[in-house]
C-alpha cells in the first residue's frame, strides 16, 4: 500500500509477517499432551503439561496482538490513501490515535518499528477507553484492575 506501487513495495512484507504469525499460532494450537512420553521405566506415563500449555498460550496471544497491530497499521495506511476524513467516530479515533505516534508510511524502510509502534498503541488502555466512550456497547466492559 503505497502511492507509488510498482516502484515501491509498500507494506507487502507486513502481510508476510502476519501470515507467518498466524501459521505459528496454528502450530501452537496443537495440544501440549501430544508431546507426552513414558517416564520412570514404564511405571509413569503422565507428565504435567500445564506449564507448557500456558507458555504456548502466552506466545499465541503475543502473536495475535502482533497480527492485530499489523492489521491496524495496514488499515490506517489504507485510510490515508483514501484521502477522506468521512469515517465513523471509532474508526477516526483509532486512525488518529495511531497517527499521533506514527506518521504515514511514505518512504521504504524496515517495518518492524512501525509494527511495534502499532502494537504499543494497541496495548495502551487509553485507546480502548476512548473507543468505549464513543461506543459503550461495542466493547465488553472492563473490570478495574
Amino acid at each position: 500500500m503505497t502511492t507509488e506501487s510498482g516502484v515501491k513495495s509498500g507494506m507487502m512484507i507486513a502481510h508476510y509477517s502476519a501470515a507467518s504469525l498466524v501459521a505459528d499460532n496454528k502450530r501452537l494450537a496443537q495440544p501440549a499432551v501430544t508431546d507426552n512420553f513414558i517416564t520412570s521405566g514404564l511405571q509413569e506415563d503422565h507428565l504435567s503439561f500445564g506449564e507448557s500449555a500456558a507458555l504456548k498460550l502466552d506466545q499465541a496471544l503475543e502473536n495475535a496482538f502482533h497480527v492485530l497491530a499489523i492489521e491496524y497499521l495496514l488499515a490506517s495506511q489504507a485510510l490515508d490513501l483514501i484521502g477522506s476524513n468521512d469515517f465513523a467516530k471509532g474508526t477516526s479515533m483509532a486512525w488518529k490515535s495511531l497517527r499521533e505516534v506514527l506518521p504515514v508510511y511514505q518512504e521504504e524502510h524496515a517495518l518492524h518499528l512501525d509494527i511495534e509502534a502499532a502494537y504499543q498503541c494497541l496495548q495502551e488502555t487509553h485507546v480502548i477507553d476512548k473507543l468505549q466512550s464513543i461506543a459503550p456497547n461495542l466493547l465488553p466492559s472492563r473490570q478495574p484492575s
Side-chain angles (χ1 to χ4, degrees):
M1 295 195 306
T2 178
T3 56
E4 298 178 50
S5 62
V7 176
K8 297 180 179 178
S9 63
M11 297 186 161
M12 177 183 66
I13 297 302
H15 294 272
Y16 296 155
S17 297
S20 177
L21 290 164
V22 170
D24 192 36
N25 275 5
K26 287 170 45 177
R27 179 190 60 82
L28 290 167
Q30 184 74 13
V33 72
T34 60
D35 293 330
N36 199 3
F37 48 88
I38 296 172
T39 59
S40 189
L42 301 175
Q43 293 182 19
E44 296 181 26
D45 63 350
H46 68 280
L47 298 169
S48 172
F49 291 102
E51 180 183 8
S52 296
L55 290 171
K56 287 170 58 164
L57 175 61
D58 186 55
Q59 183 60 55
L61 289 171
E62 185 74 14
N63 289 351
F65 262 103
H66 276 93
V67 170
L68 289 173
I70 290 168
E71 293 297 325
Y72 187 22
L73 182 65
L74 296 176
S76 294
Q77 184 72 10
L79 295 178
D80 291 321
L81 293 175
I82 289 172
S84 170
N85 290 334
D86 191 26
F87 304 117
K89 288 181 186 177
T91 302
S92 293
M93 189 283 306
W95 176 39
K96 289 174 183 173
S97 292
L98 184 62
R99 289 299 172 234
E100 287 174 6
V101 297
L102 188 65
V104 177
Y105 180 90
Q106 293 177 344
E107 286 300 316
E108 297 241 347
H109 61 273
L111 286 174
H112 70 95
L113 295 176
D114 294 10
I115 293 169
E116 188 59 30
Y119 174 85
Q120 291 301 323
C121 199
L122 287 176
Q123 296 292 317
E124 296 292 326
T125 57
H126 74 275
V127 174
I128 301 299
D129 292 339
K130 283 183 194 176
L131 278 173
Q132 199 112 34
S133 71
I134 291 169
N137 297 325
L138 182 65
L139 302 169
S141 61
R142 297 184 311 136
Q143 299 300 321
S145 350

